[in-house]
Amino acid sequence: MIENRLKRVLAERITPAVYTPVAELKLTAWHVEGGQGEPVMPAVALAGNVSYEPFSVGQQWGPAWGTSWIHVTGTVPPQARGHKVELVVDLGFSQSWPGFQAEGLVYRPDGTAVKALNPLNTWLPVASESTGGEEIDLYVEAAANPFVFTDNPFIPTHLGEKSTAGSAPRYTMARADINIFNTEVWELVQDLEVLEQLAAELDPGNPRRWDILYAVERALDAVHLTDIPGTAAAGRAELAHVLAQPANASAHQITAIGHAHIDSAWLWPVRETVRKVARTTSNVVNLLEEYPELQFAMSSAQQYEWLKEQRPEVFERVKDAVAQGRFIPTGGMWVESDTNMVGSEAMARQFTYGQRFFRENFGVQCQEVWLPDSFGYSAALPQIVKLAGAKWFLTQKISWNTVNKFPHHTFNWEGIDGTRVFTHFPPVDTYNSQLSGQELAHAVRNFRDKGAAKNSLVPFGWGDGGGGPTREMLARAKRTQNLEGSPQVTIASPAEFFTAAQAEYPHAPVWKGELYLELHRGTYTSQALTKQGNRASEHLLRQAELWSATAASRGLIDYPYDELDRIWKLVLLNQFHDILPGSSIAWVHREAAESYARIAKDLQEIIFEAMQALAPAVDPVDPDPWKSTLFNASPYPRRGIAPLSAGVPAPHSSEVTVEHDGSDVVVHNGLITVRFGADGVISSIVDVAANRELVPSGQGANLLQLHADFPNMWDAWDIDAFYKNTVTDLRELDSMEVTMGSGQAEITIKRSFRKSHITQRVRIAPDSKIITVYNDVDWHEQETLLKAAFPLDVHADHARFETQYGHIQRATHENTSWDNARFEVCAHRWVHVGEPGFGAAVINDSTYGHDVSRHPGANGSSFTTVRLSLLRGPRFPDPETDQGPHSFTYGLVVGAEVADAVDAGYAMNLPWRGTYSDGAAVEPLISTDSQAALIECIKLADDRSGDVIVRLYEPLGARASVTLSASFPVASLEENNLLEQPYDAGSLTFSDHGVARIALRPFQILTLRLKKDNK
């Protein structure tokens, strides 16, 4: 009875009494047309030459993604004198989902921001103690962002693209008035909510629960419903003693940090995120001024840069708060990126660009990596984190695992090279906590390291779409700081939390390898064009830096620092964990495709300029292509051209022949023999030297397969295990043709299926054990998964998958639930399976999703099938995902060791580039005496000193020793970290005049700085 009484009285009487309306506000509005460059800057909307029309409460506004500027004016009436006065402006909020629907940012007439409006933050300050007569003159930039989630959140919708979202108004102005803010009533609401939530989490047999309930009953008796403002203090007095009871000595310790996880794009475009950041930070800096206990952490240097560019006056307030240690840059990354698919150097640059921004703008370097929401974490990350100047790692996403509950919340995470980083998963299981009693109790019950540790962290504030902390959350933090029956909540910084947690748990357990998310496996495949653009951009950037550094170091060009920085930032932005994974609305992926097209064009120009400087083109009437200079950007030699150099390739030493054996086609090149059946599927692959058949009896390689792909939820995100229950092999053939050209055989296979068509050009070249498959697909399937299967006659308990700066081993069997849950995994350029002495690798130019499985063979052994996930067709949040033309390449490397897989992966992603230079040679700027360590990056230093930065890594998981040489006079050579700061890992064993001896441990990353001797 008491609980039910409280719910009703609180909802229907006490909470509404927080505000006493005293006057209406006058409204006019300017509804921005799409053709006016929407969204417009405040300077345009407030310039005085814009026509504002009469507008009122009850009037509709806002087609999806439209913006209305609402002019709010009024005068505080005399009856408000002596009271705290606030405005309440409700734009027509229909859900309690801040960040997922209409939002507003309020400006003064001079264009400075006041604060934001969202469904749970509808108030605007006027006066802490009104004198009466205050004039109100404000402008609301109201964004009509549509609520893409519906009651059934995965129903396909066209709201994700402005051109298909419709023009009908989506919101109705609900409220705009001047109010007396009844502080004592508001405080009573906070008291009652905290006690109500705490009591609900206490066992019915706990006397504390009854103390609270009877205190609540007395408080409700003391509050007169006809005069709540006048009796609120009496009600609070009845609660004072239960709120003053201190926490137990053994209470769990919670560090609370204000936060607002803002997805840089998701169910809104990047354009809208720029405004979300301004709204959230405006609210936060106001709260910081009013609540001295608040500390707020925000990640993503990109979002700070947007704020600096678009709302500089808010940025300056943020900068002041950073200097005070209360607004805390965290994470050290450009964005909260995906970590599965991001390439090696790009993963490093997420940190170098993020940390550089924070150092240059705030004088701070982040110590913790902050990735609460990315979809799993690469096993290469611990080493990258440490080399980026950080020492702690935070996420909570692994709590979403569908099968295996992670065994720890605080632990040491060990990467592929052995580096360990102290890691915490907040047991509250959210990065958007409201500090509710239920959440705090869950954190205590859920914490898996009880007894050994008692500290956990809770990020609180509205997030995903932004919003941040509210004053109600701060009231809860204040009341639970030392409250019997509750964990003790203390607002403090992430660094303070990690320092305390690490001190109390010095021997925390160790987790080795990747942090695999048992969910969202479809993100390795959805939105194939986005993934293709990312892969291409990463490799174009490698070439642009390599050849530009080579030419600039020789005085031939100026190094394009600014252009490369601009392009890197675009690439890093598009690696955000809802862009690269393909889980955003159509608008986001359309813009990503447009961005990648511009990036490719700009990088091609940078590369071409550097190549022309290094090997100037001759212009004969009939240039001889066989004497052209070919540039090899790979760290492996190619046809006689050294790594990272240019020259004329050596001629082929073998020939390719084709014969027809009935309806089959057989191709020989002296190294491999490949048989194509009448259906175009490869029925046999023989490694000539090993005299070994690679295709198991009765199987077919390069077999395309279709699966029904309709997960239970999270369409673009998920592939559910039951997809394997049904499969359709594509063996129907439209045509198969054989052609010869440039010394290689090409088998062109065309297939039609359902509404789609695919053309495959399978090439076998001289002197090569690689079968390369070029694919052109016109894809019109939805809720369907296309895979390419390569059954391989090797007995493999584990497969190797490329990740950043190395590879990871995963089981091919399903012995444990952990093995079984990895039925779809991520790889970069290659997957390798093998037995001692013989193996094979599947390589690709833009595919990330794979599955590898074991099957019983005909001879009592087993064979291993490697499959690539090529295309999907999920319908939410983009109903047209992947529809249309696609071109991509993959291949099979026969008889491959791991080093061969690495080599072939580079070769497929770094094709030849040439200039008609009559055979001119280009010496490598930096070289090594073997491929035991690979050069991943050559560039000029970020500090623009002209120093050359070289990044190497050991790719095979073995000890390595190599000699490095520079082709220019070197004054000094030193080891750096990823941030290009001095760092001594003891890897540089000898250095003299540009020659250095280097010793690397397995999978170690090493960065060297070479200072030129200009004497």
Side-chain angles (χ1 to χ4, degrees):
M1 293 297 292
I2 297 170
E3 290 168 342
N4 290 337
R5 179 187 177 191
L6 173 60
K7 290 181 188 300
R8 184 175 187 191
V9 172
L10 190 58
E12 296 183 23
R13 293 292 188 271
I14 299 178
T15 300
V18 169
Y19 285 113
T20 301
V22 293
E24 297 293 323
L25 290 162
K26 180 182 178 182
L27 307 177
T28 58
W30 173 48
H31 305 290
V32 184
E33 299 294 331
Q36 293 171 292
E38 194 271 336
V40 301
M41 294 295 289
V44 175
L46 310 181
N49 56 357
V50 173
S51 177
Y52 282 78
E53 303 295 335
F55 189 66
S56 63
V57 171
Q59 190 168 337
Q60 292 184 318
W61 67 280
W65 306 115
T67 299
S68 293
W69 284 81
I70 302 170
H71 191 191
V72 178
T73 57
T75 304
V76 177
Q79 63 262 42
R81 186 178 294 116
H83 295 282
K84 183 175 183 178
V85 175
E86 292 183 352
L87 310 183
V88 175
V89 179
D90 185 338
L91 299 174
F93 305 120
S94 57
Q95 305 280 341
S96 58
W97 283 63
F100 287 81
Q101 54 170 301
E103 300 175 74
L105 182 56
V106 182
Y107 296 88
R108 302 177 186 88
D110 64 2
T112 57
V114 179
K115 69 179 292 290
L117 299 171
N118 63 50
L120 295 172
N121 211 326
T122 59
W123 60 277
L124 294 168
V126 176
S128 58
E129 186 175 343
S130 175
T131 59
E134 289 91 348
E135 293 296 328
I136 295 155
D137 188 1
L138 299 169
Y139 291 81
V140 181
E141 180 191 22
N145 301 335
F147 194 75
V148 176
F149 276 133
T150 61
D151 292 337
N152 184 337
F154 305 110
I155 292 295
T157 174
H158 289 281
L159 289 172
E161 179 65 89
K162 190 170 185 178
S163 62
T164 61
S167 58
R170 303 198 66 82
Y171 295 99
T172 301
M173 191 72 183
R175 183 175 176 181
D177 45 39
I178 304 169
N179 296 266
I180 292 172
F181 179 81
N182 297 303
T183 304
E184 200 68 21
V185 179
W186 183 86
E187 295 285 2
L188 176 61
V189 171
Q190 311 316 310
D191 291 345
L192 289 171
E193 286 187 346
V194 166
L195 291 172
E196 176 189 33
Q197 294 168 8
L198 174 58
E201 297 301 323
L202 296 174
D203 188 275
N206 189 327
R208 172 67 168 163
R209 177 185 174 112
W210 297 96
D211 288 344
I212 292 172
L213 289 176
Y214 284 119
V216 166
E217 183 176 50
R218 291 191 296 272
L220 295 178
D221 290 341
V223 175
H224 297 173
L225 300 187
T226 58
D227 184 18
I228 293 173
T231 58
R236 294 195 70 204
E238 295 293 342
L239 302 174
H241 75 284
V242 290
L243 285 167
Q245 294 294 322
N248 300 327
S250 60
H252 184 74
Q253 302 297 304
I254 284 179
T255 297
I257 180 66
H259 188 48
H261 176 76
I262 304 177
D263 286 313
S264 292
W266 181 28
L267 303 180
W268 46 84
V270 169
R271 168 205 98 173
E272 198 56 34
T273 310
V274 176
R275 299 201 290 182
K276 285 177 178 289
V277 171
R279 296 177 195 127
T280 295
T281 53
S282 296
N283 280 353
V284 169
V285 292
N286 284 340
L287 282 176
L288 288 170
E289 292 176 357
E290 188 173 352
Y291 293 89
E293 72 271 23
L294 176 60
Q295 295 188 59
F296 179 81
M298 188 170 104
S299 71
S300 304
Q302 170 70 90
Q303 296 185 3
Y304 289 84
E305 184 172 81
W306 283 332
L307 189 66
K308 183 178 181 180
E309 293 172 349
Q310 299 294 321
R311 295 262 42 93
E313 83 286 355
V314 179
F315 181 79
E316 287 304 315
R317 294 178 69 189
V318 167
K319 192 171 182 178
D320 289 342
V322 171
Q324 298 165 20
R326 299 184 60 211
F327 197 116
I328 303 163
T330 191
M333 300 177 69
W334 190 249
V335 296
E336 290 185 12
S337 74
D338 176 78
T339 75
N340 290 308
M341 294 172 283
V342 174
S344 300
E345 197 59 24
M347 195 76 256
R349 301 303 175 89
Q350 285 288 348
F351 290 96
T352 63
Y353 277 84
Q355 293 280 43
R356 189 207 305 178
F357 182 92
F358 292 139
R359 283 197 314 274
E360 291 179 353
N361 287 273
F362 305 123
V364 300
Q365 186 164 298
C366 301
Q367 294 182 291
E368 67 289 306
V369 175
W370 190 273
L371 288 174
D373 193 33
S374 299
F375 309 145
Y377 305 94
S378 155
L381 212 50
Q383 182 181 195
I384 296 171
V385 165
K386 185 174 181 180
L387 291 175
K391 56 184 178 181
W392 302 311
F393 184 87
L394 179 136
T395 183
Q396 70 85 41
K397 199 65 174 185
I398 304 302
S399 68
W400 288 41
N401 276 6
T402 55
V403 178
N404 299 286
K405 189 173 179 66
F406 200 82
H408 303 287
H409 283 101
T410 303
F411 59 98
N412 285 298
W413 178 23
E414 183 176 312
I416 56 174
D417 71 311
T419 298
R420 294 180 180 181
V421 57
F422 189 77
T423 299
H424 182 67
F425 295 170
V428 71
D429 284 347
T430 179
Y431 48 80
N432 294 328
S433 173
Q434 302 172 50
L435 296 180
S436 69
Q438 187 278 329
E439 290 169 334
L440 298 180
H442 175 74
V444 176
R445 288 191 295 265
N446 190 41
F447 188 53
R448 305 207 72 178
D449 299 276
K450 295 183 189 76
K454 61 186 297 186
N455 281 278
S456 71
L457 185 138
V458 174
F460 70 93
W462 296 110
D464 288 326
T470 64
R471 58 190 180 185
E472 290 77 16
M473 296 174 192
L474 291 167
R476 292 177 201 136
K478 181 178 181 180
R479 286 160 175 77
T480 55
Q481 187 173 6
N482 190 18
L483 182 63
E484 183 184 356
S486 169
Q488 287 189 271
V489 176
T490 304
I491 295 177
S493 70
E496 289 174 293
F497 161 75
F498 274 110
T499 299
Q502 197 165 15
E504 77 162 353
Y505 209 7
H507 304 296
V510 177
W511 178 268
K512 168 71 174 178
E514 68 184 323
L515 298 176
Y516 177 86
L517 179 62
E518 295 174 0
L519 196 71
H520 293 357
R521 303 168 182 89
T523 58
Y524 314 142
T525 305
S526 295
Q527 297 287 0
L529 293 179
T530 299
K531 292 168 171 58
Q532 191 169 46
N534 175 73
R535 179 76 70 83
S537 297
E538 289 178 343
H539 288 81
L540 286 170
L541 276 163
R542 172 192 174 92
Q543 296 169 76
E545 290 183 334
L546 167 64
W547 303 128
S548 294
T550 304
S553 293
R554 293 168 182 169
L556 302 174
I557 64 169
D558 293 328
Y559 191 76
Y561 291 104
D562 292 335
E563 273 293 276
L564 289 172
D565 274 357
R566 178 185 63 81
I567 294 168
W568 263 118
K569 289 178 180 180
L570 288 172
V571 172
L572 298 177
L573 168 61
N574 283 328
Q575 291 172 340
F576 177 73
H577 66 253
D578 277 308
I579 302 180
L580 179 54
S583 48
S584 289
I585 56 174
W587 188 337
V588 174
H589 292 288
R590 171 179 55 79
E591 287 191 333
E594 294 167 355
S595 174
Y596 286 131
R598 291 191 299 270
I599 287 168
K601 177 180 180 295
D602 293 344
L603 287 174
Q604 299 283 12
E605 291 175 357
I606 292 172
I607 293 167
F608 182 74
E609 180 184 357
M611 287 170 50
Q612 287 290 90
L614 289 163
V618 297
D619 189 22
V621 176
D622 185 22
D624 183 354
W626 300 107
K627 291 184 179 179
S628 297
T629 299
L630 297 185
F631 284 73
N632 175 22
S634 169
Y636 287 88
R638 296 179 65 185
R639 288 184 54 192
I641 300 178
L644 316 177
S645 72
V648 177
H652 292 298
S653 61
S654 67
E655 294 183 358
V656 179
T657 61
V658 178
E659 63 182 60
H660 294 269
D661 184 3
S663 59
D664 290 1
V665 173
V666 182
V667 182
H668 309 272
N669 73 353
L671 300 176
I672 57 175
T673 299
V674 183
R675 177 180 291 268
F676 296 80
D679 58 3
V681 176
I682 298 173
S683 58
S684 172
I685 303 170
V686 175
D687 184 316
V688 174
N691 191 28
R692 173 126 178 202
E693 171 63 60
L694 190 56
V695 180
S697 176
Q699 302 296 314
N702 190 35
L703 174 65
L704 297 175
Q705 298 179 305
L706 297 177
H707 294 273
D709 181 21
F710 188 62
N712 288 346
M713 56 172 50
W714 299 108
D715 295 29
W717 293 257
D718 284 356
I719 293 176
D720 286 344
F722 54 74
Y723 88 92
K724 292 184 178 181
N725 295 349
T726 56
V727 61
T728 301
D729 294 346
L730 297 182
R731 290 183 176 270
E732 294 294 321
L733 194 65
D734 293 346
S735 65
M736 181 167 65
E737 298 179 356
V738 181
T739 57
M740 294 292 296
S742 300
Q744 61 186 356
E746 182 171 284
I747 293 81
T748 301
I749 301 160
K750 295 183 178 181
R751 304 183 192 277
S752 300
F753 53 94
R754 300 179 185 175
K755 300 177 182 179
S756 303
H757 306 274
I758 183 167
T759 298
Q760 292 189 310
R761 291 169 291 121
V762 184
R763 291 181 185 171
I764 299 167
D767 304 333
S768 175
K769 298 175 77 172
I770 301 175
I771 302 167
T772 306
V773 184
Y774 299 87
N775 300 271
D776 294 299
V777 186
D778 188 15
W779 180 251
H780 296 283
E781 310 307 312
Q782 294 187 310
E783 297 168 353
T784 301
L785 173 62
L786 174 65
K787 281 184 171 271
F790 286 88
L792 304 171
D793 194 13
V794 294
H795 176 75
D797 294 338
H798 292 79
R800 291 177 171 87
F801 303 79
E802 189 185 32
T803 188
Q804 295 97 355
Y805 301 109
H807 63 263
I808 183 173
Q809 292 191 63
R810 300 184 179 107
T812 60
H813 56 71
E814 299 176 350
N815 280 2
T816 70
S817 59
W818 296 86
D819 299 326
N820 187 44
R822 290 181 172 90
F823 59 81
E824 181 82 4
V825 297
C826 183
H828 287 195
R829 293 169 294 203
W830 56 265
V831 175
H832 179 271
V833 295
E835 306 166 359
F838 186 82
V842 175
I843 59 176
N844 71 83
D845 75 342
S846 57
T847 299
Y848 295 93
H850 296 78
D851 71 273
V852 181
S853 54
R854 299 169 74 248
H855 306 273
N859 57 1
S861 182
S862 71
F863 67 87
T864 306
T865 298
V866 178
R867 297 200 305 167
L868 304 95
S869 297
L870 303 176
L871 292 167
R872 301 184 67 211
R875 300 179 64 209
F876 182 87
D878 175 6
E880 301 299 321
T881 301
D882 288 329
Q883 302 302 291
H886 298 269
S887 297
F888 49 84
T889 306
Y890 56 79
L892 177 69
V893 189
V894 180
E897 298 295 333
V898 174
D900 300 316
V902 179
D903 184 358
Y906 274 107
M908 178 166 281
N909 286 271
L910 293 167
W912 291 115
R913 291 182 175 275
T915 61
Y916 289 131
S917 301
D918 202 22
V922 177
E923 183 184 7
L925 187 65
I926 304 291
S927 59
T928 59
D929 63 348
S930 80
Q931 277 66 55
L934 301 180
I935 294 176
E936 181 65 9
C937 160
I938 296 177
K939 60 187 284 291
L940 296 194
D942 288 346
D943 61 12
R944 307 198 177 194
S945 61
D947 295 350
V948 174
I949 299 295
V950 182
R951 189 139 39 243
L952 308 91
Y953 74 104
E954 193 289 312
L956 306 180
R959 301 280 172 174
S961 180
V962 299
T963 298
L964 178 143
S965 302
S967 64
F968 57 88
V970 176
S972 66
L973 191 154
E974 67 175 14
E975 190 172 347
N976 278 197
N977 62 12
L978 295 179
L979 308 182
E980 301 175 13
Q981 301 165 333
Y983 181 89
D984 185 7
S987 301
L988 193 58
T989 61
F990 172 80
S991 176
D992 182 50
H993 300 296
V995 177
R997 194 68 183 166
I998 299 163
L1000 298 179
R1001 66 179 186 273
F1003 298 127
Q1004 184 182 348
I1005 305 166
L1006 175 65
T1007 304
L1008 299 174
R1009 177 188 286 263
L1010 289 77
K1011 186 176 293 293
K1012 292 181 66 176
D1013 187 346
N1014 296 315
K1015 294 180 181 178

